[in-house]
Amino acid sequence: MKIIDNLFGHYNDESVLEYTLVNDAGMSVSCLNYGCIITKIMVPDRSGKIENVVLGFENFNDYLDLSPYFGSVVGRVAGRISNSQFELDGHVYQLTPNEDRSHLHGGKKGFNSVIWKTEPFQDENAVGLKFFYHSPNGEEGYPGNLDTSIIYRLNNQNELTITYEARTDQKTIVNLTNHSYFNLSGNLKRDVSQHILQLDSERFLELGLDKIPTGKMIDSRNTPFDFKHGRLLKSGMNSSHPQNVLAGNGYDHPLLFTKKGENTVALSEKESGRTLLVTTDQHCVVLYTGNHLEGPYSISGVRARNHLGVCLETQGLPDAINKPDFPSIVLNPDEVYHAVTKYRFFSNTIGV
Ligand code: FUC
């Protein structure tokens, strides 16, 4: 196992470094100290061919100019907050709007677009990086000084574990995730329509036209949102279900886990033989099938097009602070925000 670092670019006066974590089983994960962005995940297919399975750019400036949160950590709060506002203990906080009237993925300068302090580490079983960021009281409108640490840890079982921790000195809200777009075909050979997703979820959150949850939880049975026994992502892309159409032909929805505690989401693609198992302690996974990726730019040499990647954003429920029925995302000064999501890659196919 080893860690390699390279200069990737400059941001303001700071160096942007790309660290590559390499294990002994042929897997590597590359990431930046800017936004904790995962630029590449190299894993073998069924024949042992090692290829990249996430969307990323070769040039740092593309991350500044073009990126729809490729590979980054998003925070302080993932997803949309309606009217960019929330109330805590009778005080109304006004956040920076960055998508019409909504506040999306932490605002104009979210955790995806700041430099994090980094500390590489290696132990008997893994190589990794620790990231630290101090978000000052009032940043993007949020209350409290928030100290966040994130750990990326790669072991020899082809498992990448992301551990999130945050502490505040004032009551605030926190909901962190990673926004990697996966494509298991390898080097973007195909889009993700033939990927099969499987998870234990019986309900999903209905979205309004602004893509913010209405508060209504919909029964997934007999809909394109039923992934219990495995389902091709294409079924939601081609569906006339009003929620798939509203999302831009596909999915952009929080799928609620049936059971509390640890849950696993399986993503696989038959042709490459690759499977990704995502295990998390979070309440939901926001499934986004890259419905708006199309544009006059390239992603790792491939012309950007819709459905070229799929995000599995494990997190608390979006807009929870404005929805009394959703589990709380409030963090108090005497508490530690703690969340863990593991990504394990295999090269055999499960599901249907
Ligand atoms: C996802 C979606 C959004 C948005 C963004 C880039 O998390 O929920 O709709 O397009 O990513």
Side-chain angles (χ1 to χ4, degrees):
M1 288 181 285
K2 61 179 174 182
I3 306 172
I4 303 161
D5 60 84
N6 282 305
L7 183 66
F8 195 69
H10 288 97
Y11 182 67
N12 298 332
D13 288 334
E14 300 197 70
S15 299
V16 176
L17 296 179
E18 183 177 49
Y19 295 89
T20 300
L21 313 175
V22 186
N23 74 4
D24 295 334
M27 174 171 171
S28 69
V29 177
S30 300
C31 49
L32 306 181
N33 55 346
Y34 175 85
C36 308
I37 291 174
I38 295 177
T39 53
K40 265 184 200 143
I41 298 183
M42 305 291 291
V43 285
D45 70 0
R46 65 152 62 87
S47 69
K49 194 167 176 201
I50 295 175
E51 292 169 313
N52 183 21
V53 293
V54 289
L55 304 196
F57 294 116
E58 301 294 326
N59 300 313
F60 177 60
N61 282 341
D62 289 347
Y63 281 103
L64 298 178
D65 301 340
L66 301 167
S67 183
Y69 303 89
F70 281 175
S72 63
V73 158
V74 293
R76 297 186 184 190
V77 174
R80 294 172 174 85
I81 296 180
S82 52
N83 291 320
S84 304
Q85 261 188 14
F86 67 94
E87 198 185 311
L88 260 189
D89 291 343
H91 188 288
V92 175
Y93 291 94
Q94 178 62 52
L95 304 172
T96 323
N98 59 334
E99 191 190 68
D100 302 323
R101 294 177 62 190
S102 312
H103 175 89
L104 170 66
H105 289 336
K108 286 195 174 135
K109 187 173 154 270
F111 285 5
N112 61 298
S113 54
V114 296
I115 295 273
W116 293 65
K117 271 192 202 125
T118 50
E119 207 177 278
F121 68 89
Q122 179 156 6
D123 57 39
E124 242 173 76
N125 304 310
V127 276
L129 264 186
K130 287 183 187 162
F131 299 90
F132 305 94
Y133 179 65
H134 171 83
S135 174
N137 181 26
E139 191 171 44
E140 297 294 316
Y142 289 103
N145 286 293
L146 190 76
D147 283 299
T148 303
S149 77
I150 292 173
I151 301 174
Y152 289 178
R153 179 185 165 92
L154 175 67
N155 67 18
N156 278 330
Q157 283 69 52
N158 284 357
E159 185 174 62
L160 170 70
T161 302
I162 304 187
T163 306
Y164 305 84
E165 276 193 5
R167 290 175 173 80
T168 183
D169 60 357
Q170 203 184 314
K171 199 169 187 174
T172 192
I173 55 174
V174 183
N175 185 16
L176 304 174
T177 191
N178 177 278
H179 208 289
S180 288
Y181 290 70
F182 297 99
N183 181 326
L184 301 178
S185 71
N187 297 346
L188 310 186
K189 279 196 285 294
R190 297 173 286 279
D191 69 18
V192 296
S193 54
Q194 296 296 326
H195 282 46
I196 296 162
L197 188 74
Q198 196 251 317
L199 72 150
D200 187 6
S201 164
E202 285 155 1
R203 293 178 306 165
F204 69 99
L205 295 185
E206 179 187 68
L207 300 183
L209 287 175
D210 49 11
K211 296 191 194 144
I212 294 178
T214 60
K216 196 171 158 197
M217 300 180 184
I218 302 185
D219 189 332
S220 321
R221 273 173 304 179
N222 304 317
T223 76
F225 294 80
D226 184 358
F227 294 97
K228 237 181 164 172
H229 306 291
R231 170 181 288 277
L232 284 170
L233 292 181
K234 126 175 142 185
S235 62
M237 297 167 188
N238 298 336
S239 140
S240 56
H241 190 292
Q243 284 289 306
N244 292 124
V245 175
L246 179 148
N249 300 317
Y251 302 95
D252 195 353
H253 290 80
L255 310 178
L256 308 180
F257 292 121
T258 306
K259 67 174 172 63
K260 288 209 170 77
E262 212 164 68
N263 277 280
T264 297
V265 177
L267 181 73
S268 58
E269 200 227 15
K270 273 193 178 157
E271 207 168 329
S272 68
R274 290 188 179 96
T275 292
L276 164 62
L277 292 187
V278 181
T279 304
T280 186
D281 57 5
Q282 294 297 288
H283 288 282
C284 77
V285 58
V286 174
L287 170 64
Y288 174 55
T289 45
N291 312 326
H292 303 287
L293 282 175
E294 196 171 294
Y297 65 99
S298 298
I299 306 169
S300 307
V302 172
R303 171 75 181 221
R305 61 183 199 275
N306 291 342
H307 307 143
L308 204 53
V310 54
C311 301
L312 302 170
E313 304 162 46
T314 54
Q315 56 173 92
L317 276 48
D319 205 26
I321 191 62
N322 292 312
K323 303 281 177 333
D325 293 345
F326 291 1
S328 168
I329 57 160
V330 171
L331 183 70
N332 289 296
D334 58 344
E335 297 168 337
V336 179
Y337 170 90
H338 182 88
V340 183
T341 298
K342 295 179 183 180
Y343 305 82
R344 186 157 181 190
F345 292 87
F346 297 87
S347 44
N348 59 320
T349 307
I350 61 158
V352 281

